[in-house]
Amino acid sequence: MNQLIKMQKGITEAVGKRIKVLEDEGLALPEQYSAKNALSSAFFTLQKVYGIEKATQESIANALLDMVTQGLSPAKTQCYFIVYGNELQMQRSYFGTVAALKRLTNVSKVKAEVIHEGDVFEIGSNEDMEMIVTKFEPKFENMNKPIIGAFAMIKSEDGSINYTVMTKEEIDKSWQQSRNKNNKVQQNFGQEMAKRTVLNRAAKMFINTSDDSDLLTGAINNTIESEFEREEPKEIQAQEKQANELINKALNKPEETNKQEQVDKPKSDATDEVVIEDTESDAEQTEVDTNENQTELFDELGLIK
């Protein structure tokens, strides 16, 4: 156990140094956010995570990097950690998704609500043929009735509002695709989990049209995608894998990204074949791709024996 604590402490220190480099290169964290405090909180949280001793150092570091890049802290219940096989992943709570979205420069307000049986809920469209919520009247006497849907709104500084609506059937299908299919939290806290699910979908649609930092939007996207099993064709997964690798390289050692790409670039006549053959299609794989840049960082700090 002491060895595990020593390893985790070394990783949090390494991540802290990497964040300092990223800040010097333009990464903007919230004014009141302390990356050091968030990492300290995460350090104590990780000691209680089931299966943490199986998680690779690379996956722990990536999870912590995602947390800090999004300006989150487990002390504020904005995120939590789960081990899948030997991979640690950081997942956002509803509060964490709200906090991450508010970091986008053009966002003024974020909100999600559930719709109970008997509530008045109507949708329509605006002049641009975009779906909008035209009426929502929740009633106290309906709060213990079954949930029939949920919706989220993201309001921009210019006053425009982006709505996302999901039926309960759509929410259930989303939960079925989750890597935590039998998650008791979804059963015991259905209202909060439904709000979190619809807000995550709204976030995915909104941030991909954002002009904000690729590091921030990439981290938000990665956190959403990591929760679900993948059913897309291998070719699509291969393309997304390449994009994720570029994001990870930028997070770890941005100054070496171009050099590494030149070294690793395959011959043009074998590019497609190599990428598809190396792609894993099983979302619950127990082996995690090694991040060479991060491994070098740990080695420099004496974290890998």
Side-chain angles (χ1 to χ4, degrees):
M1 186 63 181
N2 290 334
Q3 183 64 26
L4 176 62
I5 294 176
K6 182 178 179 181
M7 181 192 74
Q8 291 177 354
K9 186 176 181 180
I11 290 175
T12 55
E13 290 176 352
V15 172
K17 292 180 181 179
R18 177 52 48 198
I19 289 297
K20 181 62 171 62
V21 172
L22 292 175
E23 284 187 295
D24 292 340
E25 296 178 353
L27 175 64
L29 296 177
E31 292 183 4
Q32 303 301 320
Y33 181 74
S34 170
K36 182 178 180 180
N37 290 345
L39 286 170
S40 296
S41 176
F43 168 67
F44 290 109
T45 300
L46 288 177
Q47 297 180 45
K48 304 175 184 178
V49 174
Y50 178 77
I52 186 61
E53 68 279 357
K54 300 177 183 178
T56 64
Q57 295 185 21
E58 290 83 2
S59 70
I60 294 175
N62 281 331
L64 294 176
L65 279 169
D66 272 349
M67 177 192 75
V68 175
T69 303
Q70 296 176 67
L72 306 178
S73 172
K76 297 181 179 179
T77 64
Q78 294 175 333
C79 61
Y80 49 93
F81 301 92
I82 299 177
V83 175
Y84 296 105
N86 63 348
E87 178 185 0
L88 179 73
Q89 292 185 352
M90 187 276 297
Q91 296 186 1
R92 291 188 306 266
S93 66
Y94 168 74
F95 305 108
T97 301
V98 171
L101 284 173
K102 284 185 174 180
R103 285 195 57 201
L104 300 177
T105 55
N106 193 37
V107 174
S108 64
K109 188 174 183 179
V110 179
K111 187 71 174 177
E113 293 290 347
V114 295
I115 310 159
H116 291 273
E117 188 177 283
D119 290 344
V120 177
F121 182 76
E122 298 177 3
I123 61 174
S125 63
N126 59 20
E127 58 184 11
D128 294 322
M129 298 302 294
E130 298 171 331
M131 185 188 65
I132 61 174
V133 175
T134 59
K135 192 174 185 179
F136 176 53
E137 293 181 2
K139 297 181 179 180
F140 177 77
E141 59 267 27
N142 296 333
M143 292 183 67
N144 289 328
K145 292 183 179 180
I147 295 173
I148 61 173
F151 72 98
M153 57 154 280
I154 301 177
K155 187 175 183 179
S156 302
E157 294 288 352
D158 60 8
S160 61
I161 301 177
N162 291 267
Y163 289 101
T164 299
V165 177
M166 295 180 70
T167 65
K168 184 56 165 60
E169 183 178 350
E170 290 177 310
I171 293 171
D172 288 338
K173 286 182 179 179
S174 178
W175 290 349
Q176 290 169 8
Q177 292 176 350
S178 170
R179 300 172 88 171
N180 285 331
K181 292 184 178 65
N182 299 318
N183 194 339
K184 291 184 178 180
V185 176
Q186 296 170 352
Q187 302 172 16
N188 298 333
F189 302 95
Q191 182 166 310
E192 290 303 316
M193 293 301 290
K195 290 164 63 174
R196 175 178 176 273
T197 298
V198 73
L199 189 57
N200 272 338
R201 175 174 288 190
K204 185 175 181 179
M205 293 181 179
F206 186 85
I207 66 174
N208 289 332
T209 60
S210 168
D211 293 329
D212 288 83
S213 164
D214 287 342
L215 291 177
L216 173 57
T217 56
I220 295 175
N221 262 335
N222 284 342
T223 305
I224 295 173
E225 294 295 338
S226 67
E227 294 187 36
F228 300 97
E229 296 180 348
R230 305 302 303 277
E231 297 180 352
E232 292 90 341
K234 287 186 177 182
E235 290 81 357
I236 296 178
Q237 292 187 36
Q239 293 172 2
E240 294 190 1
K241 178 182 176 182
Q242 288 181 315
N244 288 337
E245 286 175 349
L246 290 176
I247 292 173
N248 284 334
K249 287 179 182 179
L251 281 170
N252 297 320
K253 283 193 174 183
E255 68 276 9
E256 294 186 4
T257 300
N258 291 334
K259 293 181 181 179
Q260 189 66 32
E261 287 177 350
Q262 293 176 0
V263 173
D264 294 341
K265 185 176 181 181
K267 295 181 180 180
S268 59
D269 60 352
T271 301
D272 293 338
E273 182 179 355
V274 172
V275 170
I276 294 175
E277 288 181 353
D278 288 345
T279 301
E280 294 290 340
S281 61
D282 186 352
E284 296 189 22
Q285 61 187 21
T286 57
E287 295 183 2
V288 183
D289 294 335
T290 301
N291 189 307
E292 295 180 0
N293 288 330
Q294 198 162 59
T295 302
E296 291 174 5
L297 172 63
F298 292 148
D299 187 48
E300 292 171 6
L301 296 171
L303 299 178
I304 297 179
K305 303 297 182 183

